[in-house]
């Protein structure tokens, strides 16, 4: 029995690969990786058996990447995969493991895609090719795929290739590659025809069998909601309100106009959201993605094309608001979450007539997608109450309240029948009118029209984490100037370099707005802020009140006396 190494470094991987694994947040090798990597690095042939989700891709990709000669731009490894989705997945994985290997090139080649692009990619020179059997045969026959320098061949998901009728193609390919190569065959099961292929084409293979039936890694939790009853928008906002661990989300829609419409609707409901589509120029797209990265916004509403390749580790949720056109698009979409070793979530909205698409996705990715029960109004209300309580405690802790305590005292003194509890309840009632705390107050009808609250201010109620106390600033731009909270956050994060999470509440009034920023901003930042413009308008940012740390401490005393009065009652 071989002893099981416990770290990637023990496996003998190069510093570049170790760095990539650490970037990705992989902490330790999975059992199949521990078992296979040393054999493959040593040049052995290998027969690996393990379930889906056990980490087979890295098990063969890492040794391949370590052994290729980057200076030779010729295919040195060929990986055969049963479907184009899997080919793309493996290609993306290779790319991410090779992030510190400069000049590394990989090409996925599969049927259904025009030959042109693939010929161009192959012509430019690649180190690793990942393909479906039929298309690989095509390229070998056309001589557009030169396998004369091939050193490693991997058959990934061999039983699946058998099931899909590719076994003869696979054998044909095995007969058309150099016999001096290393060969590895991976399969979840070992039916007789696969065993025969292994016996015929593998030379003295090492056998690795991982028994565990439970997948060691399931990075993305996939769920679907069958559209019924509620409007999609209401279902979406309910989900956004009660999902656990929601940090940032990317929402996929079908059209460019839908990205803008939905982003606006979410903004009107107080979310930091922005559209991302192909009509936006590169600079604007990158800026939007940067804002998502730094927390300036939490939601991006995107089309497939615009979102391709986005790598923002804080995306905790991918929401397929409109179902994707095909499985490949689905795989691309959900790949935006669960990155850097974090747990990801994918939610798919499915109309009744789209159920067959859902099943096709499940078949093709061979991952079950669980049904999601929409949170009830009560669940939403409960969550809001919890947040409200938290907010109150935060205010008690961080704000100077003596003036307000005095106001409350006056109310109490002016009316003999009113006690402090009633006053507090009335205040809670007032505060929640825009965002009801009671289940009965929640509508499941169409979205509240943002204009309905005209005359009142619109609060930007994103969750923020502050390190230092906040200071309120007045800016000379308000709703009448067409300003949105997103514009302000954008200007602050892009122009003044203030992290989105440092920005507090933003309240829009008709011709001015009030924003909260940390009270310890540097001189340079304040200078930049003084000249900041949003939508061509100079903001003339100015502090509302002067407040220094000493006064802050006095505020602490006032808080205690408020508490005493409260309990003395
Ligand atoms: P399989 O091919 O066995 O079905 P994959 O290679 O596709 O499995 O891996 C499944 C998921 O697990 C991928 O998201 C991958 O990034 C992740 N993964 C693989 N190895 C590790 C590891 N050692 N630590 C953390 N995550 C891993
Ligand atoms: Mg796999």
């Amino acid at each position: 029995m071989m002893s099981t190494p416990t770290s990637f470094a023990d496996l003998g991987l190069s510093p570049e690969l170790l760095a990539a694994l650490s970037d990705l947040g992989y902490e330790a090798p999975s059992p199949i990786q521990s078992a296979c990597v040393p054999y493959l690095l040593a040049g052995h042939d290998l027969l690996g058996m393990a379930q889906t989700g056990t980490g087979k891709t890295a098990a063969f990709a890492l040794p391949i990447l370590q052994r290729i000669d980057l200076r030779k731009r010729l295919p040195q490894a060929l990986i055969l995969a049963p479907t184009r989705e899997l080919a793309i997945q493996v290609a993306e994985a290779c790319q991410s493991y090779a992030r510190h290997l400069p000049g590394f090139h990989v090409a996925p080649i599969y049927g259904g895609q025009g030959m042109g692009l693939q010929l161009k990619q192959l012509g430019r020179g690649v180190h690793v090719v990942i393909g479906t059997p039929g298309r690989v045969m095509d390229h070998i026959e056309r001589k557009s795929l030169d396998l004369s320098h091939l050193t490693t061949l991997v058959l990934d998901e061999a039983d699946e290739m058998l099931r899909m009728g590719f076994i003869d193609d696979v054998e044909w390919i095995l007969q058309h590659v150099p016999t001096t190569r290393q060969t590895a065959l991976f399969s979840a099961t070992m039916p007789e025809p696969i065993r025969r292929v292994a016996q015929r084409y593998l030379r003295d293979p090492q056998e690795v069998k991982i028994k565990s039936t439970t997948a060691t890694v399931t990075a993305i939790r996939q769920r679907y909601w069958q559209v019924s009853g509620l409007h999609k928008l209401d279902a979406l906002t309910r989900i956004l309100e009660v999902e656990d661990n929601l940090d940032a989300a990317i929402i996929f829609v079908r059209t460019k106009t839908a990205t803008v419409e939905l982003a606006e609707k979410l903004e009107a409901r107080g979310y930091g959201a922005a559209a991302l589509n192909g009509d936006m120029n590169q600079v604007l797209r990158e800026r939007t993605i940067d804002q998502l990265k730094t927390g300036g916004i939490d939601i991006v509403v995107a089309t497939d094309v615009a979102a391709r390749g986005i790598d923002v580790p804080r995306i905790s949720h991918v929401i397929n608001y409109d179902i994707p056109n095909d499985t490949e698009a689905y795989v691309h979409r959900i790949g935006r979450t669960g990155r850097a070793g974090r747990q990801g979530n994918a939610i798919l909205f499915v109309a009744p007539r789209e159920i067959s698409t859902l099943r096709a996705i499940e078949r093709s990715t061979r991952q079950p997608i669980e049904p999601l029960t929409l949170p009830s109004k009560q669940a939403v209300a409960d969550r809001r109450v919890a947040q409200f309580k938290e907010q109150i405690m935060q205010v008690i802790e961080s704000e100077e309240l003596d003036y307000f305590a005095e106001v409350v005292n006056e109310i109490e003194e002016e009316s003999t029948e009113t006690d402090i509890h009633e006053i507090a309840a009335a205040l809670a009632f007032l505060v929640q009118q825009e965002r009801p705390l009671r289940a009965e107050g929640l509508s499941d009808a169409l979205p509240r029209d943002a204009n309905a609250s005209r005359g009142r201010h619109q609060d930007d109620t994103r969750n923020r984490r502050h390190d230092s106390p906040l200071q309120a600033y007045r800016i000379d731009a308000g709703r009448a100037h067409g300003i949105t909270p997103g514009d302000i956050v954008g200007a602050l994060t892009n122009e003044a370099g203030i992290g989105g999470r440092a920005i507090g509440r933003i309240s829009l009034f008709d011709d001015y707005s009030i924003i909260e920023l940390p009270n310890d901003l540097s001189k340079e930042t304040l200078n930049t802020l003084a000249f900041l413009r949003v939508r061509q308008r100079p903001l003339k940012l100015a502090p509302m009140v002067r407040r220094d740390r000493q006064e802050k401490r006095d505020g602490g005393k006032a808080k205690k006396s408020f508490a005493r009065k409260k309990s003395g009652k």
Side-chain angles (χ1 to χ4, degrees):
M1 280 259 82
M2 55 179 279
S3 68
T4 320
T6 49
S7 77
F8 281 112
D10 292 340
L11 298 178
L13 293 169
S14 68
E16 291 81 7
L17 294 174
L18 293 177
L21 293 168
S22 127
D23 290 350
L24 291 168
Y26 288 15
E27 280 171 351
S30 69
I32 187 109
Q33 292 162 3
S34 302
C36 295
V37 170
Y39 287 141
L40 291 174
L41 282 178
H44 287 287
D45 277 11
L46 189 135
L47 188 59
M49 256 178 89
Q51 300 284 322
T52 304
T54 48
K56 290 189 286 292
T57 316
F60 59 75
L62 294 169
I64 286 177
L65 293 172
Q66 181 141 332
R67 284 159 54 94
I68 52 168
D69 180 352
L70 284 170
R71 290 162 305 181
K72 264 203 303 198
R73 268 173 90 152
L74 288 161
Q76 296 160 56
L78 171 66
I79 300 161
L80 295 178
T83 65
R84 61 179 182 167
E85 289 78 25
L86 289 168
I88 291 167
Q89 259 178 40
V90 171
E92 286 188 343
C94 287
Q95 199 79 63
S96 66
Y97 301 142
R99 59 201 294 164
H100 297 297
L101 300 179
F104 170 76
H105 289 281
V106 58
I109 58 175
Y110 44 81
Q113 186 188 47
M115 275 284 183
L117 177 68
Q118 294 174 4
L119 290 172
K120 215 195 264 167
Q121 278 182 308
L122 293 173
R124 245 186 270 139
V126 295
H127 302 101
V128 176
V129 171
I130 298 141
T132 50
R135 188 51 71 98
V136 168
M137 278 176 76
D138 281 357
H139 281 286
I140 293 177
E141 284 183 323
R142 286 166 168 250
K143 306 221 184 312
S144 45
L145 179 58
D146 171 11
L147 293 177
S148 59
H149 287 76
L150 198 77
T151 52
T152 304
L153 178 77
V154 175
L155 310 180
D156 191 16
E157 316 259 0
D159 51 354
E160 192 60 17
M161 292 201 274
L162 170 72
R163 208 184 60 80
M164 294 176 69
F166 294 146
I167 198 72
D168 294 340
D169 296 357
V170 169
E171 283 209 43
W172 186 93
I173 294 167
L174 282 161
Q175 289 155 8
H176 285 78
V177 293
T179 49
T180 51
R181 62 162 199 268
Q182 171 187 46
T183 309
L185 185 157
F186 288 91
S187 202
T189 58
M190 207 49 70
E192 196 41 43
I194 297 295
R195 193 159 282 286
R196 265 205 311 276
V197 167
Q199 271 158 6
R200 192 169 313 158
Y201 297 95
L202 271 55
R203 286 165 313 174
D204 193 17
Q206 301 289 341
E207 287 202 26
V208 169
K209 196 167 169 180
I210 302 296
K211 272 185 235 89
S212 78
T213 44
T214 51
T216 49
V217 272
T218 40
I220 303 176
R221 176 176 185 207
Q222 300 178 63
R223 286 167 291 166
Y224 74 91
W225 175 62
Q226 184 165 346
V227 180
S228 57
L230 275 189
H231 284 274
K232 277 196 204 178
L233 180 62
D234 289 300
L236 174 66
T237 49
R238 254 190 223 185
I239 289 170
L240 291 176
E241 275 208 44
V242 303
E243 266 298 282
D244 281 325
N245 319 320
L246 193 128
D247 191 357
I250 180 159
I251 300 175
F252 283 97
V253 293
R254 205 161 284 141
T255 65
K256 291 183 242 180
T257 24
T259 62
V260 178
E261 280 170 15
L262 186 56
E264 277 174 1
K265 283 179 184 152
L266 289 170
E267 271 212 306
R269 289 167 173 234
Y271 291 97
L276 185 72
N277 63 50
D279 279 353
M280 295 159 60
N281 65 33
Q282 185 66 17
V283 176
L284 206 55
R285 286 212 300 258
E286 275 169 17
R287 178 175 289 196
T288 306
I289 293 166
D290 267 358
Q291 280 182 273
L292 188 67
K293 248 182 211 158
T294 54
I297 53 174
D298 298 321
I299 298 175
V300 158
V301 186
T303 52
D304 289 289
V305 177
R308 188 140 297 180
I310 289 186
D311 187 6
V312 177
R314 67 180 281 261
I315 295 177
S316 58
H317 284 68
V318 167
I319 297 174
N320 294 276
Y321 194 80
D322 294 329
I323 202 165
N325 290 328
D326 54 27
T327 314
E328 191 193 327
Y330 178 80
V331 171
H332 270 293
R333 285 178 175 190
I334 73 167
R336 301 308 113 220
T337 183
R339 299 183 83 84
R342 302 186 196 191
Q343 170 75 42
N345 293 274
I347 295 173
L348 174 65
F349 284 7
V350 186
R353 67 191 148 74
E354 293 162 345
I355 288 288
S356 57
T357 314
L358 167 72
R359 298 299 167 217
I361 292 173
E362 280 186 314
R363 265 199 310 278
S364 163
T365 57
R366 279 176 306 120
Q367 301 271 340
I369 305 179
E370 332 151 27
L372 171 144
T373 323
L374 214 56
S376 64
K377 283 190 194 181
Q378 192 56 54
V380 175
D382 289 349
R383 176 64 66 108
R384 287 185 183 181
V385 169
Q387 282 168 351
F388 179 61
K389 287 180 187 163
E390 213 174 284
Q391 225 180 343
I392 300 249
M393 294 321 291
Q394 232 176 337
V395 168
I396 290 176
E397 236 153 65
S398 62
E399 298 293 325
E400 291 176 39
L401 296 172
D402 18 355
Y403 176 81
F404 302 94
E406 218 30 71
V407 174
V408 172
N409 279 341
E410 277 173 31
I411 300 173
E412 197 192 12
E413 275 153 24
E414 282 161 17
S415 155
T416 41
E417 294 107 81
T418 320
D419 77 354
I420 208 103
H421 285 106
E422 246 176 315
I423 297 172
L427 289 173
F429 172 81
L430 284 175
V431 168
Q432 56 92 57
Q433 281 178 312
E434 293 262 307
R435 199 164 173 265
L437 291 176
R438 248 198 316 199
E440 302 81 61
L442 265 73
S443 78
D444 42 20
L446 283 169
R448 187 161 33 82
D449 184 353
N451 293 327
S453 57
R454 208 175 333 141
R456 273 203 217 117
H457 72 274
Q458 173 191 355
D459 266 342
D460 178 52
T461 50
R462 278 168 281 161
N463 275 330
R464 289 164 200 288
R465 293 172 209 141
H466 326 283
D467 291 333
S468 30
L470 292 170
Q471 152 83 57
Y473 290 83
R474 183 185 194 282
I475 56 174
D476 234 16
R479 238 216 287 272
H481 310 111
I483 301 281
T484 64
D487 293 336
I488 299 173
V489 171
L492 292 172
T493 53
N494 292 316
E495 252 62 65
I498 299 178
R501 299 216 167 266
I503 304 169
R505 183 178 288 261
I506 297 176
S507 307
L508 293 190
F509 297 88
D510 271 350
D511 51 5
Y512 69 101
S513 306
I514 295 175
I515 57 178
E516 291 177 344
L517 297 172
N519 69 353
D520 57 357
L521 293 175
S522 70
K523 262 223 167 71
E524 301 101 89
T525 310
L526 286 170
N527 268 336
T528 318
L529 287 175
F531 296 100
L532 208 60
R533 285 165 171 267
V534 169
R535 304 220 169 179
Q536 324 299 351
R537 228 186 132 70
L539 292 183
K540 299 193 190 148
L541 180 121
M544 297 279 289
V545 253
R546 287 224 162 272
R547 193 202 273 175
D548 61 25
R549 291 183 191 284
Q550 186 51 49
E551 282 168 355
K552 189 77 198 146
R553 259 177 235 129
D554 294 344
K557 256 185 244 147
K559 183 189 75 194
K560 273 193 214 100
S561 66
F562 178 54
R564 254 200 310 280
K565 267 184 201 155
K566 199 164 59 178
S567 55
K569 192 68 206 183

